[in-house]
Amino acid sequence: AILNAWLAYSVSKKSQHILKKWLAPTLLVCACYSFGYGFEIMANDVKSAYAAFYIEFSFSAFLPFLLLLFAVSYTGNEVYLKKWHTIALLAFPAIHVVANFTNANHSLFLKSLYLEDFGWLKTLVLIPGPLFYSYFTVSSLVILFTTLLLFNP
């Protein structure tokens, strides 16, 4: 987490515009995700593990979309990216983050969760709901598109 935060700071201060615009936020999201994941691993009860998952998902939900925006900028295709495209790309994970925070009211994002004990390591096991699958599917497609874009600029 500290390394990613330092890299985000370095990129934002010393890099050219392409790297500064989308890579720095991506690295900062990675740092926040790592921080939340560290707390999830150390959690001893379901409530604290779920709180750490909140932190994790609040940031990691944006990661595939930020990587796509970085790839579009890096490959020189930013001319095709309008402001409303960026808003739409970032609105999708924001909706799923809100769904995760309000999950206690509707259980559409996660049906249930529990802590499973593997000796010295406890793991948060999530039973996904329909919104989780929609997020997973769209994120996977975004990652695939990003990969194709980077290999075929």
Side-chain angles (χ1 to χ4, degrees), residues 81-98:
L81 190 65
K82 307 292 183 224
K83 188 174 184 175
W84 69 271
H85 291 133
T86 304
I87 292 169
L89 275 172
L90 296 177
F92 184 79
I95 290 168
H96 285 79
V97 168
V98 170

Side-chain angles (χ1 to χ4, degrees), residues 52-87:
F53 176 74
Y54 272 150
I55 295 169
E56 267 179 75
F57 187 75
S58 297
F59 293 100
S60 67
F62 291 92
L63 194 54
F65 303 92
L66 287 171
L67 285 172
L68 175 63
L69 291 169
F70 168 71
V72 167
S73 296
Y74 183 75
T75 57
N77 293 316
E78 197 171 40
V79 69
Y80 301 112
L81 190 65
K82 307 292 183 224
K83 188 174 184 175
W84 69 271
H85 291 133
T86 304
I87 292 169

Side-chain angles (χ1 to χ4, degrees), residues 6-25 27 70 74:
W6 177 78
L7 285 172
Y9 174 77
S10 295
V11 165
S12 68
K13 292 294 178 196
K14 299 177 183 175
S15 293
Q16 51 184 294
H17 179 66
I18 290 173
L19 293 179
K20 191 183 293 189
K21 187 172 183 181
W22 294 114
L23 185 60
L27 290 169
F70 168 71
Y74 183 75

Side-chain angles (χ1 to χ4, degrees), residues 86-135:
T86 304
I87 292 169
L89 275 172
L90 296 177
F92 184 79
I95 290 168
H96 285 79
V97 168
V98 170
N100 186 26
F101 279 119
T102 60
N103 192 61
N105 300 329
H106 51 71
S107 297
L108 289 173
F109 194 75
L110 296 173
K111 289 182 183 175
S112 67
L113 57 118
Y114 58 92
L115 211 56
E116 191 160 320
D117 196 1
F118 291 105
W120 61 274
L121 180 67
K122 295 181 188 229
T123 304
L124 184 65
V125 179
L126 309 170
I127 310 299
L131 282 179
F132 185 88
Y133 288 117
S134 74
Y135 171 78

